[in-house]
Amino acid sequence: MIIAKNGTQYNNLNDDIIKAHATYVSSPFAKVDRALNYKKIGEGEFSYTELVDDFTADELKAGFYEVAKYCTSETLKIYADKHFSNDLEIQKYIKLNELKKIKDAKLSEFSYNDKIYQIDENSKVNLNGKVSAILLAQSTEQPITQINWIAKDNSITQFTTLEFLAFSNAVAQYIEEILFLNDTIRTQINEAESIEALKAIELKLENEA
């Protein structure tokens, strides 16, 4: 069961509901697998029952991870900063989520000779396939001498064989650098021992020039 601390129960969550609890409602969600406790307020015909706010830290934390399934990373960060600003585990989760988003963006395209090229998974398969074809053709009577490659803006770049191999090598080095920096920062995040230390970690996936 997903329930907000104000007593509202939800069968389904979405980004708008979560965003409201992250900005306007001072009531985080809890995930509970037990009977809820209520107390009686008042006497006679005007009495009513009210939910007892006895949610544990584990139930509120479980609520956070349930929320993470249904909202954008931007909404999740707002929600975490609102309700879990001093929770090191959750703030690490948020920072790692931000790092992954940056890494994925960096590994989607590559700038080379003033042009942007896509290097997502499908593009890398095509790139590696073309390199393999070049190398195999070198020992035949019809070696590949020119490669036409499409940039992100759909313009076509003409490479010689050597130029294309240099391009593919530059892509490989770039990807290796991004992954190395990502692993280094991810380790720093996981090893942070305080909120202050965590906030001091910069999410920069590029080397200083």
Side-chain angles (χ1 to χ4, degrees):
M1 176 194 313
I2 301 299
I3 184 168
K5 286 187 71 175
N6 63 7
T8 307
Q9 297 185 35
Y10 292 93
N11 293 321
N12 297 292
L13 290 175
N14 58 48
D15 192 73
D16 289 337
I17 292 172
I18 296 165
K19 188 177 293 183
H21 280 260
T23 53
Y24 308 116
V25 184
S26 297
S27 180
F29 296 96
K31 184 178 182 181
V32 297
D33 298 308
R34 60 173 174 83
L36 300 173
N37 297 314
Y38 292 86
K39 61 183 178 181
K40 183 179 179 182
I41 305 295
E43 298 293 337
E45 63 178 309
F46 298 107
S47 66
Y48 61 94
T49 58
E50 184 178 89
L51 177 68
V52 176
D53 182 3
D54 60 354
F55 299 112
T56 67
D58 286 342
E59 288 172 338
L60 292 172
K61 190 167 288 188
F64 167 82
Y65 289 113
E66 194 68 22
V67 161
K69 300 176 184 178
Y70 299 100
C71 66
T72 64
S73 57
E74 291 79 9
T75 297
L76 188 63
K77 185 178 188 315
I78 296 170
Y79 179 83
D81 289 345
K82 171 84 170 182
H83 299 296
F84 298 94
S85 60
N86 294 315
D87 188 303
L88 184 58
E89 177 188 324
I90 286 179
Q91 289 301 320
K92 283 184 178 183
Y93 181 95
I94 293 296
K95 196 111 181 179
L96 288 170
N97 198 40
E98 291 178 15
L99 178 63
K100 182 181 183 304
K101 186 176 180 180
I102 294 171
K103 181 199 74 172
D104 290 346
K106 289 281 188 181
L107 292 180
S108 67
E109 57 187 40
F110 174 62
S111 176
Y112 188 78
N113 289 346
D114 298 323
K115 279 194 176 184
I116 304 296
Y117 298 89
Q118 293 177 316
I119 56 169
D120 54 32
E121 290 303 317
N122 288 335
S123 299
K124 285 191 291 185
V125 169
N126 293 335
L127 181 64
N128 291 334
K130 182 61 68 175
V131 170
S132 296
I134 291 171
L135 296 178
L136 287 172
Q138 284 181 342
S139 58
T140 69
E141 294 181 356
Q142 294 182 321
I144 298 173
T145 58
Q146 182 175 295
I147 298 93
N148 293 329
W149 205 251
I150 301 175
K152 185 179 180 181
D153 63 2
N154 288 324
S155 64
I156 295 176
T157 303
Q158 291 187 340
F159 291 103
T160 66
T161 300
L162 290 178
E163 287 171 343
F164 190 80
L165 292 176
F167 166 67
S168 66
N169 185 58
V171 170
Q173 289 181 341
Y174 172 78
I175 292 172
E176 183 179 358
E177 176 185 311
I178 295 299
L179 293 177
F180 174 78
L181 291 172
N182 177 76
D183 288 346
T184 299
I185 296 173
R186 186 173 59 189
T187 298
Q188 292 174 353
I189 292 171
N190 286 324
E191 292 180 350
E193 296 182 352
S194 68
I195 295 293
E196 291 71 24
L198 188 63
K199 288 180 177 179
I201 298 172
E202 293 188 52
L203 303 182
K204 291 182 62 176
L205 292 184
E206 55 188 21
N207 285 320
E208 297 293 339

